[in-house]
C-alpha cells in the first residue's frame, strides 16, 4: 500500500480542516473481524477532491454528503472523495480485520486462562486499520467513540466514559483535538485499579492473569505517576490537559509504550512476574515519565510532519529521564542514560543510515517510521541536555511554556520552537540548530596533555574532531573533571567553540596544576560527544575506576572505554581486564548490567572463537565473584547472575540451579530466571526439547510461550533450526512476539557450524519474508534474524549483493546496511587483534 508522502500531506492539509470524528465500533462478531463506522465532518475548498485512508477487510458503504460512493473505487488504502463542498460529512462503514502484529486492533487470547483482550495501536499510520481517517499528524480533531462489546468486558478509550446506556454498550465523551495516530481503545476481561490525584482520575489496567503481579506493584506505579504529574505541573504552566490518565499494560506490544492521551498503553512485560533489578524498575519509571512528557510534546502540541519527530521523542526522552531523576526515588536515571541510552545513540549516529536529529526532509510516512531510533530518542535527548546547559534552565522552560501557549491543541515545527526559545533566552539559535539538529554524526573530544618533571601539567587541551564524511565541529558546554588520589574532585566547566579555537581548546587553568589520577572530559555528561582519555588516565583506570564516588562519572568512563573498543582503538582484552578488576567494586546495578551486556556483544563478535571462549570464561568468573560479594537478594546479585548465565559454560552449575542445588543465598530462581538458565543449557546442548516442554507446561503464560519459542529455536538440531527458520521467514499466523522470539533464539556464537547454511539463506529468504509482514514487524524480525555472529568477508559480500537489488523494503535495507557496518567493525577488530598477537 502506498505510504503518504509529505507533498500529499501538505496539499491535503491546505485543502481541508477536520472538525470531528464520530466512531462506532462493534466488537461482538465472531471470527477474525470487527465492524467500524465513522462519520467525519470536515471543511474544504469547494469543487475540489481529496482522499481518505482506510484498510478494510471489506468495505461496506461510503456516503459523502448526500451521495453514495462505490466501495469498489477503493484503491489500495485510498478512497477518492470528489466534488467537495465547504462543509462535508463522510460516513464509511467497513469490516476490519483483527491483527496479530501489534498494529491496528490487536487481538490476543491469553494462554493462561483463555480470556480475550483487544487494544488499538494507531501509530504511525495504522488507525486506518480501525476506521477510515485522514491519517496525518496535522489534521487533528476531537474523537467521539461508541463501542459495542460483550457485556462482561471492560472497555476504555482516550475519552472519559460518558454513558453506559445498556449492557454491552459504551459511549465516551469527545476528546480534545488529537492526531489520528493517538487513537486508543482497550476492550476485554481487563483487571483494573482506580485512583485519583490532584483532581485527575487515574486507572491502571492489565490482563487478569497478571492481576496479582500488578497489585503487588500498584503502589509503586501510582506513586511514580503522581510524582511525575506533580513535577510536570511544576515545570509547565499548562496542566495535564486530557482529563483522566489511564495506563494499560497490554500483551504483545511492539513498542515500549504509546503516548495516547487519556489512555497510555505499555508492553505488559512491565508488569513484573519475577524478581527484577532496581534498574528494571527504574526503566519502568522512566517509561512512565517519558509517556507523560508526551502529553505536552506530541499530544497537546503535535509535530506538523514526521521530519519533526524529535519534537516528540527527543523531548520525551529528555524530560522522562529528567523528571524521573528529580521526582522519584530513581534519582540515578541520568547515570543509566549516560551508558545505556547514549550507547544506543552513539551507535546509531555512526552507522551509514545516520540522519540529523531534525532532518530537512522526510519524504513519506514509511521513512518516518525508520527514524524511530537512537538518534531521535537518545541523541536528541542528549542534545537537549546540552541546550539546557548552554541556555540555562529558566530560559529553556520559559521558551517551552511559550511554545505550549502558542500552539495549544495544534501543530508546530522546529522553527516554531526555536522562535519561542530564542525569544525567552534572548539568543539566536539558528546557528546552534544548524550544527546540532540539522547535521548528522558525532564529534570526538580527546584530551592531549604534557607533563613536566614535577608531575604538573605543562600544557593541556581538548581536541575536537569530526569524521571525514561529516566534517562538522560543534560548540560544546562541557565539564572536565580532575579526580585525585585523595578523593578530591575538581570540575572545570568551559565552552568549546570551534569558531574561535578551530577545534583545539587550551585548558589554561590546568597549566602548573598537579596531574590527577584521572582527567575526565565530559564529566557530568552534559554533551553528546565521544570522549577519549589521555594515555596516563587510561593506564590508571583499573585502580582509579573503582574509587570514583560519582556513579555518573563511572558511567562516562565505562562508556568511553567501550566506545574506544568498538572503534578498534582499544583491544577487547583491555575491556575484559577492566571488567575483571573494576566491575566487582561497582554498586550501581545499571552500570553492572550495561557493562556486561555491551561487553558481551563485543566478545561475541570482535574475538575469534578461542579468544572469545577464554574471555567469556573470565567474564563468567567475574560474575561469580560479584554474586559472592553482593548483598544476597539484591539487584547487583541478580544482574551478575544473569551475566553469568549469558556467558557461562558450567552446565552442571546451571542445571543445579534449576534443580534447587547450590543456588546462591538470596537468589530467587523464579520463572524468568529459570527460562534464562534453560535457554543457556539448550544452547550448550545440555537440555533439549523434553526440558522445554516440561518448563512450558509449568509456565502456561504468554511469557512462557515466548520463552519456549526462543528455546526451541536455540536447539542445536538440524530439524529445530529448520522449523524455526520457517517461522521466521514464512509464518504469519503466529503473533509478532512469537515470531520475534524465534528470531531472537536462532543464532548463537557457539552454534556457528550448525547455522552456517542459514547465513546465505538470510540474504536469499529475507526480502520475501519482509514483504509478508507489516513494516514495523518486518524490520524487527530482520534485525533479530541477521547473522551477526558470522563475522566473515563472505557475509559482507552477500550483504552487498542483496543491497544491490532494487526490490527491498526500506526497513530491510536499513537493517542490512547497519548490520553490515557492524560486521565491518568486527572484522577490523579481529584483524587488529591478530596483528597484535603476531607482534
Amino acid at each position: 500500500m502506498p505510504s503518504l508522502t509529505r507533498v500529499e500531506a501538505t496539499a491535503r492539509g491546505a485543502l481541508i480542516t477536520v472538525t470531528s470524528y464520530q466512531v462506532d465500533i462493534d466488537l461482538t462478531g465472531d471470527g477474525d473481524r470487527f465492524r467500524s463506522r465513522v462519520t467525519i465532518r470536515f471543511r474544504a475548498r469547494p469543487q475540489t477532491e481529496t482522499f481518505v485512508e482506510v484498510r478494510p477487510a471489506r468495505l461496506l458503504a461510503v456516503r459523502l454528503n448526500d451521495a453514495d460512493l462505490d466501495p469498489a473505487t477503493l484503491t489500495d488504502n485510498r478512497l477518492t472523495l470528489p466534488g467537495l463542498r465547504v462543509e462535508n460529512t463522510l460516513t464509511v462503514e467497513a469490516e476490519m480485520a483483527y491483527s496479530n502484529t501489534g498494529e491496528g486492533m490487536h487481538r490476543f487470547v491469553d494462554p493462561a486462562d483463555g480470556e480475550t483482550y483487544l487494544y488499538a495501536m494507531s501509530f504511525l499510520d495504522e488507525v486506518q486499520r480501525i476506521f477510515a481517517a485522514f491519517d496525518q499528524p496535522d489534521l487533528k480533531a476531537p474523537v467521539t467513540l461508541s463501542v459495542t462489546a460483550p457485556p462482561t468486558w471492560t472497555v476504555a478509550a482516550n475519552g472519559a466514559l460518558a454513558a453506559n446506556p445498556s449492557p454491552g454498550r459504551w459511549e465516551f465523551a469527545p476528546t480534545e483535538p488529537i492526531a489520528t495516530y493517538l487513537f486508543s481503545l482497550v476492550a476485554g476481561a481487563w483487571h483494573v485499579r482506580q485512583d485519583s490525584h490532584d483532581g485527575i482520575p487515574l486507572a491502571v489496567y492489565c490482563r487478569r492473569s497478571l492481576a496479582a503481579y500488578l497489585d503487588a506493584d500498584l503502589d509503586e506505579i501510582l506513586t511514580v505517576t503522581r510524582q511525575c504529574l506533580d513535577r510536570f505541573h511544576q515545570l509547565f504552566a499548562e496542566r495535564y490537559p486530557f482529563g483522566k490518565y489511564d495506563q494499560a499494560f497490554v500483551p504483545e506490544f511492539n513498542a515500549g509504550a504509546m503516548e495516547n492521551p487519556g489512555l497510555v498503553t505499555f508492553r505488559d512485560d512491565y508488569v513484573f512476574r519475577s524478581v527484577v533489578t532496581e534498574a528494571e524498575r527504574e526503566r519502568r519509571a522512566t517509561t512512565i515519565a517519558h509517556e507523560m512528557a508526551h502529553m505536552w510534546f506530541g499530544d497537546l502540541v503535535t509535530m506538523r510532519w514526521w521530519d519533526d519527530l524529535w519534537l516528540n521523542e527527543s523531548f520525551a526522552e529528555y524530560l522522562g529521564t529528567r523528571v524521573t531523576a528529580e521526582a522519584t526515588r530513581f534519582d540515578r536515571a541520568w547515570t543509566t542514560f549516560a551508558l545505556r541510552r547514549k550507547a544506543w545513540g552513539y551507535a546509531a549516529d555512526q552507522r551509514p543510515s545516520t540522519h540529523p536529529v531534525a532532518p530537512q526532509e522526510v519524504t513519506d510516512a514509511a521513512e518516518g517510521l525508520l527514524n524511530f531510533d537512537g538518534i531521535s530518542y537518545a541523541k536528541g535527548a542528549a542534545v537537549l541536555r546540552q541546550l539546557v546547559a548552554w541556555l540555562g534552565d529558566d530560559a529553556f522552560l520559559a521558551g517551552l511554556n511559550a511554545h505550549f501557549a502558542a500552539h495549544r491543541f495544534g501543530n508546530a515545527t522546529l522553527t516554531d520552537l526555536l522562535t519561542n526559545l530564542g525569544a525567552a533566552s534572548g539568543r539566536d539559535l539558528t546557528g546552534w540548530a544548524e550544527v546540532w539538529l540539522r547535521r548528522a554524526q558525532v564529534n570526538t573530544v580527546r584530551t592531549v596533555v604534557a607533563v613536566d618533571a614535577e608531575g604538573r601539567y605543562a600544557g593541556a587541551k581538548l581536541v575536537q574532531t569530526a569524521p571525514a564524511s561529516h566534517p562538522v565541529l560543534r560548540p560544546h558546554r562541557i565539564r572536565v573533571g580532575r579526580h585525585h588520589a585523595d578523593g578530591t574532585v575538581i570540575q572545570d566547566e568551559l565552552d568549546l567553540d570551534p569558531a574561535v579555537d578551530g577545534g583545539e581548546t587550551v585548558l589554561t587553568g590546568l597549566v602548573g596544576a598537579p596531574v590527577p589520577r584521572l582527567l575526565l572530559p565530559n564529566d557530568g555528561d552534559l554533551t553528546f560527544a565521544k570522549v577519549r582519555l589521555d594515555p596516563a588516565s587510561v593506564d590508571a583506570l583499573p585502580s582509579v575506576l573503582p574509587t570514583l564516588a560519582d556513579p555518573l562519572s563511572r558511567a562516562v568512563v565505562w562508556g568511553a572505554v567501550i566506545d574506544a573498543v568498538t572503534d578498534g582503538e582499544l583491544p577487547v582484552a583491555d575491556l575484559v581486564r577492566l571488567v575483571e578488576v573494576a566491575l566487582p567494586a561497582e554498586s550501581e546495578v545499571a552500570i553492572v548490567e550495561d557493562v556486561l551486556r555491551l561487553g558481551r556483544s563485543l566478545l561475541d563478535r570482535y574475538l575469534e572463537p578461542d579468544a572469545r571462549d577464554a574471555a567469556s570464561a573470565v567474564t563468567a568468573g567475574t560474575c561469580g565473584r560479584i554474586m559472592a560479594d553482593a548483598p544476597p537478594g539484591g539487584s547487583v546479585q541478580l544482574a551478575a547472575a544473569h551475566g553469568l548465565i549469558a556467558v557461562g559454560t558450567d552446565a552442571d552449575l546451571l542445571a543445579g540451579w534449576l534443580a534447587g542445588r547450590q543456588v546462591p543465598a538470596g537468589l530467587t530462581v523464579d520463572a524468568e530466571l529459570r527460562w534464562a538458565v534453560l535457554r543457556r543449557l539448550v544452547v550448550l546442548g545440555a537440555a533439549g526439547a523434553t526440558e522445554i516442554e516440561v518448563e512450558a507446561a509449568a509456565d502456561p503464560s504468554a511469557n512462557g510461550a515466548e520463552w519456549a519459542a526462543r528455546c526451541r529455536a536455540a536447539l542445536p538440531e538440524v530439524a529445530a533450526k529448520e522449523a524455526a527458520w520457517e517461522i521466521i521467514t514464512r509464518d504469519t499466523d503466529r503473533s509478532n512476539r512469537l515470531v520475534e522470539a524465534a528470531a531472537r533464539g536462532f543464532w548463537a556464537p557457539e552454534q556457528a557450524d550448525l547455522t552456517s547454511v542459514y547465513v546465505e539463506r538470510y540474504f536469499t529468504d529475507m526480502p520475501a519474508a519482509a514483504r509478508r509482514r507489516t513494516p514495523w514487524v518486518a524490520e524487527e524480525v530482520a534485525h533479530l534474524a541477521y547473522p551477526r555472529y558470522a563475522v566473515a568477508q563472505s557475509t559482507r559480500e552477500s550483504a552487498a549483493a542483496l543491497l544491490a537489488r532494487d526490490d527491498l523494503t526500506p526497513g530491510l535495507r536499513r537493517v542490512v546496511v547497519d548490520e553490515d557496518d557492524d560486521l565491518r567493525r568486527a572484522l577490523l577488530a579481529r584483524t587488529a587483534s591478530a596483528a597484535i598477537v603476531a607482534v
Side-chain angles (χ1 to χ4, degrees):
M1 292 184 180
S3 179
L4 184 68
T5 69
R6 180 178 180 175
V7 171
E8 292 171 326
T10 300
R12 186 166 64 176
L15 178 67
I16 71 171
T17 300
V18 184
T19 55
S20 70
Y21 285 91
Q22 180 80 41
V23 180
D24 197 315
I25 294 176
D26 187 342
L27 305 172
T28 59
D30 295 328
D32 58 1
R33 296 183 183 183
F34 64 97
R35 291 177 70 108
S36 82
R37 182 179 189 274
V38 60
T39 297
I40 312 172
R41 292 179 172 82
F42 63 101
R43 294 190 294 273
R45 290 203 306 268
Q47 300 308 310
T48 59
E49 73 173 38
T50 189
F51 62 91
V52 69
E53 291 103 324
V54 60
R55 301 186 194 186
R58 185 163 70 104
L59 190 59
L60 301 175
V62 182
R63 186 171 183 83
L64 176 63
N65 297 321
D66 53 3
D68 292 325
L69 303 184
D70 184 358
T73 61
L74 178 68
T75 303
D76 290 320
N77 65 327
R78 298 184 177 191
L79 185 65
T80 300
L81 305 178
L84 297 179
R85 303 172 182 173
V86 173
E87 299 287 342
N88 299 275
T89 300
L90 171 68
T91 300
V92 180
E93 297 183 57
E95 287 183 350
M96 296 292 194
Y98 292 115
S99 85
N100 64 356
T101 64
E103 299 148 301
M105 189 73 77
H106 186 91
R107 184 175 185 269
F108 171 82
V109 178
D110 194 337
D113 57 14
E115 296 285 4
T116 298
Y117 298 90
L118 310 175
Y119 63 86
M121 179 56 161
S122 303
F123 178 85
L124 172 146
D125 56 357
E126 301 292 353
V127 77
Q128 54 199 270
R129 294 181 184 273
I130 304 170
F131 57 85
F134 297 110
D135 206 0
Q136 62 189 69
D138 62 335
L139 291 178
K140 298 170 72 172
V143 177
T144 304
L145 173 67
S146 300
V147 177
T148 303
T152 58
W153 281 12
T154 295
V155 179
N158 300 94
L161 184 65
N164 209 167
S166 61
R169 181 71 175 172
W170 290 260
E171 296 178 355
F172 296 91
T175 68
E176 298 287 357
I178 62 173
T180 49
Y181 74 86
L182 295 170
F183 172 80
S184 188
L185 165 70
V186 298
W190 298 97
H191 172 73
V192 59
R193 288 287 184 253
Q194 295 177 319
D195 199 5
S196 64
H197 179 67
D198 194 18
I200 300 170
L202 307 176
V204 184
Y205 297 81
C206 76
R207 290 180 278 139
R208 286 182 182 173
S209 64
L210 296 177
Y213 305 115
L214 177 67
D215 289 352
D217 272 2
L218 184 63
D219 182 64
E220 181 176 300
I221 292 169
L222 289 176
T223 296
V224 168
T225 302
R226 298 183 197 105
Q227 290 169 332
C228 292
L229 279 168
D230 288 345
R231 184 59 181 146
F232 280 116
H233 287 161
Q234 292 167 355
L235 295 173
F236 299 151
E238 174 83 32
R239 281 176 55 83
Y240 170 68
F242 295 103
K244 69 183 178 70
Y245 197 80
D246 294 352
Q247 298 173 101
F249 294 90
V250 302
E252 298 184 330
F253 205 54
N254 273 331
M258 183 63 205
E259 64 267 21
N260 318 297
L263 180 57
V264 179
T265 43
F266 299 82
R267 60 168 52 213
D268 64 11
D269 307 67
Y270 281 126
V271 179
F272 304 131
R273 68 193 192 112
S274 294
V275 177
V276 296
T277 65
E278 279 294 284
E280 287 293 327
R281 293 186 177 277
E282 179 196 87
R283 197 167 300 121
R284 180 173 66 189
T286 305
T287 304
I288 289 171
H290 176 113
E291 302 312 317
M292 194 178 291
H294 274 305
M295 299 301 121
W296 289 264
F297 281 99
D299 297 2
L300 176 68
V301 181
T302 307
M303 63 199 165
R304 190 171 300 283
W305 180 246
W306 301 109
D307 48 10
D308 275 321
L309 169 67
W310 81 287
L311 290 175
N312 281 21
E313 298 304 344
S314 298
F315 275 89
E317 181 87 0
Y318 166 75
L319 287 162
T321 305
R322 170 177 173 165
V323 167
T324 300
E326 291 176 349
T328 77
R329 69 181 178 87
F330 303 103
D331 57 0
R332 303 285 179 83
W334 283 118
T335 298
T336 304
F337 179 84
L339 190 52
R340 170 166 297 192
R341 301 300 281 181
K342 288 184 76 174
W344 180 34
Y346 288 137
D349 206 22
Q350 295 175 82
R351 289 184 173 126
S353 65
T354 186
H355 58 86
V357 173
Q360 291 276 7
E361 178 76 15
V362 170
T363 57
D364 59 20
E367 182 182 349
L369 181 63
L370 296 180
N371 287 348
F372 281 78
D373 57 15
I375 296 171
S376 297
Y377 284 74
K379 179 184 179 179
V383 168
L384 288 174
R385 197 171 193 217
Q386 170 67 189
L387 178 61
V388 173
W390 185 56
L391 286 184
D393 202 46
D394 289 345
F396 178 72
L397 292 174
L400 298 190
N401 280 308
H403 182 69
F404 298 145
H407 303 285
R408 189 172 186 267
F409 295 118
N411 297 83
T413 65
L414 167 64
T415 301
D416 295 325
L417 179 68
L418 294 181
T419 298
N420 287 300
L421 288 173
S425 64
R427 297 194 183 195
D428 182 357
L429 299 183
T430 305
W432 181 91
E434 176 62 27
V435 295
W436 273 111
L437 300 177
R438 294 299 197 194
R439 305 290 185 90
Q441 260 282 357
V442 60
N443 299 119
T444 300
V445 176
R446 298 176 185 270
T447 52
V448 178
V449 302
V451 181
D452 63 22
E454 297 179 354
R456 295 180 179 272
Y457 285 119
K461 61 184 178 181
L462 296 180
V463 179
Q464 181 186 175
T465 58
S469 60
H470 296 80
V472 178
L473 300 183
R474 297 174 175 86
H476 298 263
R477 178 153 290 181
I478 197 170
R479 291 180 190 150
V480 178
R482 286 177 274 165
H483 295 260
H484 290 274
D486 63 358
T488 302
V489 180
I490 302 171
Q491 288 187 332
D492 303 297
E493 189 166 305
L494 65 152
D495 289 323
L496 311 186
D497 189 348
V500 173
D501 57 33
E504 295 193 3
T505 305
V506 176
L507 305 177
T508 55
L510 267 61
V511 176
V515 175
R517 297 178 72 198
L518 171 66
L519 184 65
L520 181 58
N522 202 26
D523 206 357
D525 201 38
L526 292 182
T527 196
F528 186 82
K530 306 197 305 177
V531 299
R532 293 291 184 266
L533 309 179
D534 63 276
S537 292
V538 172
D539 290 343
L541 285 180
S543 58
V544 72
L545 183 52
T547 70
L548 299 181
D550 186 354
L552 184 53
S553 297
R554 301 196 300 271
V556 171
V557 170
W558 279 112
V561 171
I562 291 170
D563 188 73
V565 173
T566 302
D567 284 355
E569 295 184 28
L570 283 177
V572 178
D574 284 10
L575 174 60
V576 174
R577 283 193 291 270
L578 190 61
V579 168
E580 183 180 18
V581 172
L583 199 63
E586 182 56 61
S587 59
E588 195 69 23
V589 64
I591 295 178
V592 174
E593 285 185 347
D594 289 333
V595 168
L596 291 174
R597 176 180 58 86
L598 295 167
R600 183 170 67 251
S601 175
L602 292 170
L603 301 187
D604 287 343
R605 292 180 296 118
Y606 278 39
L607 296 177
E608 296 288 352
D610 288 346
R612 184 199 71 226
D613 292 345
S616 295
V618 172
T619 303
T622 301
C623 291
R625 290 197 304 278
I626 294 173
M627 290 177 62
D629 295 338
S635 288
V636 171
Q637 182 196 48
L638 181 57
H642 278 288
L644 187 151
I645 292 165
V647 299
T649 57
D650 188 340
D652 289 339
L653 173 68
L654 296 178
W657 286 7
L658 290 185
R661 298 191 309 267
Q662 296 182 309
V663 178
L667 184 66
T668 303
V669 186
D670 51 24
E672 292 297 309
L673 198 68
R674 289 185 63 84
W675 277 115
V677 169
L678 180 58
R679 192 257 176 182
R680 184 60 180 167
L681 290 172
V682 167
V683 168
L684 296 174
T690 299
E691 288 83 358
I692 296 170
E693 299 315 313
V694 168
E695 200 67 33
D699 180 18
S701 66
N703 297 71
E706 290 176 28
W707 268 113
R710 185 175 178 182
C711 289
R712 292 184 190 107
L715 284 166
E717 301 168 1
V718 172
K721 292 301 183 185
E722 184 60 35
W725 196 252
E726 182 74 12
I727 292 170
I728 293 166
T729 58
R730 293 184 175 277
D731 193 324
T732 57
D733 293 329
R734 283 174 171 82
S735 73
N736 56 321
R737 294 289 285 272
L738 291 176
V739 174
E740 290 163 13
R744 198 181 299 274
F746 188 86
W747 301 100
E750 296 87 351
Q751 299 175 351
D753 291 341
L754 175 63
T755 55
S756 60
V757 297
Y758 290 93
V759 176
E760 187 59 35
R761 286 186 64 177
Y762 177 93
F763 301 104
T764 301
D765 297 347
M766 199 51 65
R771 289 190 292 272
R772 288 188 184 98
R773 306 194 188 282
T774 59
W776 194 334
V777 177
E779 183 179 356
E780 182 66 10
V781 171
H783 163 68
L784 292 172
Y786 197 86
R788 60 181 47 80
Y789 304 126
V791 182
Q793 185 59 34
S794 58
T795 309
R796 297 204 64 212
E797 291 169 358
S798 295
L802 179 64
L803 292 171
R805 294 172 52 166
D806 59 6
D807 63 341
L808 304 187
T809 63
L812 177 59
R813 182 172 295 278
R814 174 170 287 195
V815 166
V816 175
V817 165
D818 288 348
E819 294 288 350
D820 175 65
D821 191 61
D822 286 352
L823 283 187
R824 175 189 64 82
R825 287 172 174 264
L827 278 169
L828 289 174
R830 289 191 178 189
T831 302
S833 295
I836 293 172
V837 171
V839 172

